[in-house]
Amino acid sequence: METITRKSLIYKSGLGFYCLNHVQGCSHGCRYPCYAFSMARQYGRASGENEWRQPKLVANAIELLNKELPRLRAKAASSRLEEFRIHLCLTTDPFMYGWPEIQAMTMRILEQINAFGLVCDVLTKGVLPHELTGHAFSRENHYGISCISLDEGFRQRFEPGAAPYADRITALRYLHDHGLRTYAHIEPYPTPNIIQQDFEALLKAMDFVDSLYFSGWNYSPLAAKYPDRKEFYAGLEQKVRTFCSANKIDCEI
Ligand code: SF4
């Protein structure tokens, strides 16, 4: 696969947490649209969707980590470790479906970060590997999936390159069953004019997670067209709260 080099890797995002992106581009090609793609196009890092969907691996990622992690670890020593949790990724997907080179690099990065005594938060629309339960990885890492439907026809329309929903959920459940902390993002949830679906069935499929984040579909003109959008999301938020409370799941709305 194509590679690029970068001058630095770990940064503090505008959202207030540390993160890193060891790939430029993402083959999942989400059509919500993808905010990372919009930014990449605006700043000249991708000319269009075709280029965006051809990911480029940051070839010097491990080298950069070796320089940056000691500094971050030193800072973390005088603070709460949780404040230095590193999120993978904000502008790409760490377990990009069908890209073993990216998945292998992500495993090396996680191992490296954990070896420095720091912990990670991993969010994907790919398949989380069983190997994450191994001794090389911290039991304090958090693992999550984004999952807004169980309908494969919908996935092929809006997340064409991402992993099938059932595979994402099965892999996440495996990590949960092996004692790791897991979470799910139901976001951006589609309005009924985009797809009519059984919301309860979607919640039920993820009833094992430790925390659940729900949010509506904010960037789509299609969702904006739905006349009862506000009431629709208010109703779902209430369902999420009730579901989380009944299943002892931390709820973020
Ligand atoms: S997985 Fe994330 S980064 Fe990749 S295309 Fe979808 S929204 Fe964009």
Side-chain angles (χ1 to χ4, degrees), residues 98-168:
W99 289 90
E101 304 94 323
I102 293 174
Q103 296 158 15
M105 177 71 94
T106 300
M107 296 297 267
R108 283 181 69 196
I109 286 173
L110 293 175
E111 197 174 338
Q112 187 89 344
I113 292 172
N114 291 162
F116 269 88
L118 295 165
V119 292
C120 300
D121 176 282
V122 179
L123 179 63
T124 186
K125 291 186 184 80
V127 176
L128 290 156
H130 289 185
E131 289 74 16
L132 290 168
T133 58
H135 294 303
F137 304 98
S138 169
R139 308 287 298 171
E140 302 302 316
N141 288 343
H142 298 168
Y143 300 102
I145 57 165
S146 295
C147 188
I148 55 175
S149 178
L150 299 175
D151 184 311
E152 280 300 297
F154 174 84
R155 180 189 65 72
Q156 279 158 14
R157 228 174 114 204
F158 284 101
E159 304 171 350
Y165 294 123
D167 295 354
R168 293 182 216 178

Side-chain angles (χ1 to χ4, degrees), residues 13-219:
S13 78
L15 299 167
F17 50 78
Y18 286 94
C19 59
L20 67 83
N21 302 292
H22 53 295
V23 180
Q24 182 172 295
C26 182
S27 64
H28 292 170
C30 301
R31 299 192 172 125
Y32 315 130
C34 166
Y35 182 73
F37 167 49
S38 311
M39 289 295 104
R41 193 160 51 177
Q42 189 175 328
Y43 290 102
R45 289 191 297 272
S47 55
E49 195 184 330
N50 285 349
E51 187 179 352
W52 174 252
R53 291 189 65 182
Q54 280 302 315
K56 300 180 180 83
L57 193 62
V58 176
N60 61 338
I62 297 293
E63 199 183 304
L64 289 170
L65 275 184
N66 283 335
K67 278 192 209 152
E68 295 173 11
L69 284 173
R71 289 200 294 266
L72 198 62
R73 184 69 192 100
K75 267 195 196 175
S78 56
S79 252
R80 280 181 59 240
L81 191 59
E82 189 56 34
E83 289 168 23
F84 292 84
R85 183 175 291 278
I86 301 174
H87 178 77
L88 286 79
C89 296
L90 269 187
T91 66
T92 186
D93 196 298
F95 286 106
M96 204 176 294
Y97 193 55
W99 289 90
E101 304 94 323
I102 293 174
Q103 296 158 15
M105 177 71 94
T106 300
M107 296 297 267
R108 283 181 69 196
I109 286 173
L110 293 175
E111 197 174 338
Q112 187 89 344
I113 292 172
N114 291 162
F116 269 88
L118 295 165
V119 292
C120 300
D121 176 282
V122 179
L123 179 63
T124 186
K125 291 186 184 80
V127 176
L128 290 156
H130 289 185
E131 289 74 16
L132 290 168
T133 58
H135 294 303
F137 304 98
S138 169
R139 308 287 298 171
E140 302 302 316
N141 288 343
H142 298 168
Y143 300 102
I145 57 165
S146 295
C147 188
I148 55 175
S149 178
L150 299 175
D151 184 311
E152 280 300 297
F154 174 84
R155 180 189 65 72
Q156 279 158 14
R157 228 174 114 204
F158 284 101
E159 304 171 350
Y165 294 123
D167 295 354
R168 293 182 216 178
I169 297 169
T170 303
L172 188 69
R173 187 184 279 276
Y174 181 89
L175 299 189
H176 162 81
D177 290 346
H178 287 76
L180 297 174
R181 187 173 172 92
T182 58
Y183 65 94
H185 274 205
I186 304 182
E187 181 258 347
Y189 191 77
T191 44
N193 59 327
I194 299 172
I195 182 174
Q196 302 252 7
Q197 53 181 3
D198 183 348
F199 188 62
E200 277 78 11
L202 179 61
L203 290 176
K204 177 113 192 46
M206 288 177 282
D207 63 0
F208 60 90
V209 298
D210 297 291
S211 69
L212 202 151
Y213 173 79
F214 175 83
S215 181
W217 192 311
N218 294 321
Y219 309 111

